Amino acid sequence: MTDLPEQTAPPAFLTVLTTTDAAQKAEALARGAIEARLAACAQVSAPVTSVYRWDGGIETSEEWQVLLKTTGNRYQELEEYLRGAHDYDTPEIIATPIIHGGADYLAWIEEETR
């Protein structure tokens, strides 16, 4: 993991994005995170076309995105789960803080990730 500027406290709520190369793999990643209560919700979107540099060349592939909603306190465990369950050498795992949200929805995320 690349170190970013240090924060005094983790964000209260996050969306976490990952991608994989098959719909079944995306659903399995999503379901596993929900079953383990590492995320309250996961949305699978697909297909998307990804263009990226890998092993010295430019690749184009079809991928499925998984967007997970979680709390800052559960992020580390969610990242560890994604790394262990993912079959990519370098999986995309990007967390974005939720700055604002409906109070009832955020309370639901908190409840579902306990």
Side-chain angles (χ1 to χ4, degrees):
M1 183 171 94
T2 301
D3 290 333
L4 298 175
E6 192 165 326
Q7 298 178 338
T8 57
F13 300 95
L14 300 166
T15 58
V16 179
L17 176 68
T18 192
T19 56
T20 191
D21 60 1
Q24 300 88 341
K25 291 178 186 179
E27 186 174 336
L29 288 171
R31 185 169 295 279
I34 301 305
E35 287 173 351
R37 299 183 86 78
L38 300 174
C41 174
Q43 296 165 319
V44 176
S45 300
V48 297
T49 301
S50 295
V51 180
Y52 52 94
R53 188 175 306 277
W54 189 255
D55 288 335
I58 296 177
E59 301 285 332
T60 301
S61 63
E62 189 173 79
E63 293 186 299
W64 281 255
Q65 293 180 330
V66 183
L67 184 64
L68 303 117
K69 284 69 164 223
T70 192
T71 62
N73 291 333
R74 297 294 276 171
Y75 173 77
Q76 193 59 47
E77 291 171 279
L78 177 57
E79 181 181 332
E80 289 170 13
Y81 160 74
L82 291 172
R83 288 186 183 285
H86 215 294
D87 64 345
Y88 283 13
D89 292 337
T90 307
E92 174 181 14
I93 303 171
I94 297 174
T96 304
I98 297 172
I99 305 301
H100 299 283
D104 52 346
Y105 186 78
L106 298 178
W108 175 76
I109 293 174
E110 181 75 39
E111 181 66 29
E112 293 302 316
T113 56
R114 287 190 181 151

